[in-house]
């Protein structure tokens, strides 16, 4: 008698960042003629609503994927299309106070049909809906038989009614109805690329019969407090006699931030150039190459400091030589768990390119921390709104901007752009600039800064949109508590709702995906 075949192991769980490559490959197999979800989109999905993203694994292989978010009833039942309701796949319409779940995507490996993978994903959504005590689930469902019947039913609503009356068959609509969903009308031009559906979709609705209206509590305001303490160091550039003096100063400032129980401490852009002040002055290109020799010691010292002081360090930026021999202006993030993340400056200034031959990076993404996803924009990068929006779409709630400017005009460009990024993306932006002079370090001889921590401009935030601000050109430390729940409130119920109100039917920014 032949041995019995081992049973397959089926697991349904939440999507993780490690799953992203496999899910993108799955989507490519399911929709070979359409673009797959970008890495940025999937990062945004996880960061905004991790409990709403599901995968199905059979023997360790991802064979099913579902993306879900919360939305208010008033928004959900309005006419809408896929791009607008989902924030172009980033879930930027997710509302933590939403009373409905919206299904953005379900896809199943075409080679693993008839294993009830789709059923498992829909059941996971229903279980989540009941656990969150929401009203129900809805989504724009495909109607792939419509294009073949268009001549008989020019109006898609008539086609839907014919399916409901069992006059014709549509496999997808029938599946959704078997899962307990009922059509509530047609969403015209929901997905123009869905040719078999004529670009339309059915608004499918499942009601949670266990739902009960919450009783009024009489409590005014919100009780969820997500406080994050940010410390920004406006550091003075000083001439030193030995490199140990520089690292001793770092120990001091990080220690101060830790004593104030900071979650993050931010340093200025290129503040490590102070290391050159204890050496003879050399040409700018020679000096910047010399700086790269300090990279290993800088990274090791700061990483150990983050762990020892139990604080996340945004280590300004430091010139770093890449594998191909280029020198880039790199921001290092030293997390208190001992891990180190890097963010290249994408846009070197004309001076950086001319004097130092600094090359721009080619990728920017959020960095996961114990306080949620953050983004780093190095100085000039903050003056390009596409970067802040990409990070916001990936779920960033705080942007850190280390900068180095020599004049008031340069400082104001950074200041005004950072305030704009805070308003248009409804998030917090912390800046740190360098002050003082280094007479023997080329291209860094004078500095001008007024570091700050900026907020959106709405009733729940600081009156002037500034949580803390340093004195101009004075070495000092500023500290502010920022409340992440205020961001969620502003995005859902603020006077203006910039992320939600984008006209994605008119414009969108498409980023080049990194080479595999």
């Amino acid at each position: 008698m032949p041995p019995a075949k081992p049973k397959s192991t089926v697991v349904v769980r939440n999507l993780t960042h490690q799953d992203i490559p496999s899910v993108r490959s799955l989507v490519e197999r399911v929709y070979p003629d359409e673009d797959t979800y970008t890495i940025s989109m999937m990062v945004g999905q996880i960061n905004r609503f991790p409990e709403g993203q599901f995968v199905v694994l059979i023997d360790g292989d991802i064979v099913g994927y579902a993306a879900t978010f919360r939305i208010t009833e008033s928004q959900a039942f309005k006419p809408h299309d896929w791009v607008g309701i989902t924030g172009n796949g980033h879930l930027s319409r997710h509302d933590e106070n939403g009373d409905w779940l919206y299904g953005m995507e379900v896809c199943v490996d075409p080679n693993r049909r008839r294993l009830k993978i789709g059923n498992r994903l829909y059941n996971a959504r229903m279980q989540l809906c009941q656990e969150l005590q929401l009203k129900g689930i809805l989504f724009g469902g495909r109607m792939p038989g419509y294009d073949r019947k268009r001549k008989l039913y020019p109006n898609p609503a008539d086609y839907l009614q014919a399916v409901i009356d069992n006059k014709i068959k549509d496999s997808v609509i029938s599946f959704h109805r078997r899962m307990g969903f009922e059509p509530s009308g047609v969403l015209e031009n929901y997905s123009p690329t869905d040719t078999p559906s004529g670009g339309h979709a059915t608004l499918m609705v499942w009601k949670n019969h266990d739902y009960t209206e919450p009783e009024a509590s009489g409590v005014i305001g919100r009780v969820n407090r997500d406080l994050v303490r940010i410390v920004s160091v406006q550091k003075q550039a000083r001439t030193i006699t030995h490199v140990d003096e520089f690292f001793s100063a770092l120990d001091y400032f990080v220690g101060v931030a830790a004593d104030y129980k900071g979650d993050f401490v931010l340093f200025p852009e290129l503040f490590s150039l102070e290391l050159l002040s204890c050496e003879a002055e050399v040409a700018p290109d020679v000096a910047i190459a010399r700086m790269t020799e300090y990279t290993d010691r800088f990274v090791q010292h700061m990483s150990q400091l983050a762990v020892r002081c139990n604080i996340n360090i945004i280590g300004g930026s430091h010139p770093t030589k890449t594998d191909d021999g280029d020198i880039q202006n790199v921001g290092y993030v030293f997390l208190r768990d001992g891990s180190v993340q890097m963010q290249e400056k994408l846009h070197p200034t004309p001076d950086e390119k001319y004097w130092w031959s600094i090359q721009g990076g080619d990728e920017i993404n959020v960095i996961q921390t114990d306080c949620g996803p953050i983004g780093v924009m190095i100085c000039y990068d903050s003056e390009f709104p596409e970067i802040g929006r990409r990070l916001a779409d990936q779920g960033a709630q705080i942007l850190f901007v280390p900068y180095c400017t020599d004049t008031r005009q340069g400082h104001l460009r950074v200041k005004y752009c950072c305030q704009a990024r805070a308003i248009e993306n409804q998030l917090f932006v912390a800046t740190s600039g360098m002050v003082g002079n280094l007479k023997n370090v080329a291209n860094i001889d004078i500095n001008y800064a007024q570091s700050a921590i900026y907020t959106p401009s709405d009733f729940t935030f600081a009156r002037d949109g500034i949580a803390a601000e340093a004195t101009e050109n004075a070495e000092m430390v500023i500290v502010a508590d920022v409340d992440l729940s205020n961001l969620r409130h502003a995005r859902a119920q603020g006077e203006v709702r910039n992320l939600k109100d984008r006209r994605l039917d008119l414009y969108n920014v498409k980023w080049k995906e990194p080479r595999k």
Side-chain angles (χ1 to χ4, degrees), residues 66-343:
T68 317
F69 61 98
R70 291 177 67 166
I71 193 168
T72 61
E73 183 170 301
S74 60
Q75 289 291 322
F77 286 91
K78 286 182 179 178
H80 59 266
D81 61 18
W82 185 90
V83 169
I85 201 73
T86 68
N88 197 32
H90 288 92
L91 300 196
S92 56
R93 300 291 193 264
H94 171 67
D95 185 343
E96 70 162 3
N97 297 311
D99 43 8
W100 286 80
L101 281 182
Y102 194 98
M104 185 184 85
E105 179 65 87
V106 168
C107 60
V108 175
D109 191 327
N111 299 319
R112 300 293 188 107
R113 304 286 188 190
R114 303 186 182 280
L115 295 176
K116 298 190 180 298
I117 297 170
N119 297 59
R120 298 173 195 271
L121 291 169
Y122 280 95
N123 288 336
R125 277 182 178 164
M126 292 174 181
Q127 181 178 343
L128 176 64
C129 181
Q130 292 171 330
E131 289 174 353
L132 297 177
Q133 300 182 26
L134 303 181
K135 291 183 177 180
I137 306 170
L138 71 167
F139 58 87
R142 299 185 67 234
M143 40 196 298
Y146 175 66
D147 194 53
R148 297 194 303 271
K149 301 287 185 179
R150 188 190 292 266
K151 290 184 179 179
L152 187 61
Y153 300 99
N155 187 335
D158 294 335
Y159 170 83
L160 174 60
Q161 190 60 49
V163 175
I164 295 172
D165 295 339
N166 293 317
K167 295 179 180 179
I168 56 175
K169 302 292 184 182
D170 187 292
S171 59
V172 174
I173 295 176
S174 297
F175 168 74
H176 290 154
R177 297 187 72 193
R178 288 198 303 273
M179 291 301 301
F181 289 81
E182 287 300 325
S184 181
V186 172
L187 298 168
E188 296 192 15
N189 300 314
Y190 181 78
S191 178
T193 60
D194 185 3
T195 304
S197 301
H200 310 306
T202 56
L203 181 61
M204 305 300 294
V205 179
W206 175 84
K207 294 182 179 179
N208 177 14
H209 295 294
D210 294 331
Y211 173 80
T212 56
E213 290 285 348
E215 297 181 4
S217 64
V219 177
I220 299 175
R222 302 180 308 285
V223 297
N224 180 29
R225 305 290 293 178
D226 295 315
L227 288 180
V228 176
R229 180 161 293 178
I230 299 173
V231 180
S232 178
V233 179
Q234 184 163 283
K235 189 178 183 307
Q236 181 171 336
R238 289 184 174 87
T239 300
I240 59 176
T241 59
H242 194 277
V243 294
D244 289 346
E245 295 176 33
F246 171 76
F247 290 105
S248 178
L250 297 188
D251 294 348
Y252 169 76
F253 282 113
V254 173
V256 167
D259 287 344
Y260 278 85
K261 296 180 171 55
D263 293 295
F264 294 96
V265 56
L266 171 63
F267 286 93
E269 178 191 24
L270 295 174
F271 75 117
S272 59
L273 286 175
E274 186 178 302
L275 289 165
L276 293 176
S277 66
C278 63
E279 302 180 5
E281 184 172 0
V282 293
D285 58 334
V286 177
I288 209 70
R290 171 69 176 131
M291 278 302 302
T292 65
E293 298 174 16
Y294 287 107
T295 301
D296 288 345
R297 180 174 178 182
F298 174 75
V299 171
Q300 182 180 15
H301 187 93
M302 294 291 269
S303 179
Q304 293 173 348
L305 197 55
V307 173
R308 186 168 73 247
C309 294
N310 191 31
I311 191 170
N312 299 308
I313 303 174
I314 314 298
S317 72
H318 177 82
T320 301
K321 183 173 290 187
T322 61
D323 293 338
D324 57 9
D326 290 336
I327 297 177
Q328 294 185 334
N329 189 354
V330 176
Y332 289 90
V333 177
F334 306 95
L335 300 179
R336 51 185 159 198
D337 65 3
S339 60
V340 180
Q341 306 292 330
M342 298 168 57
Q343 178 56 64

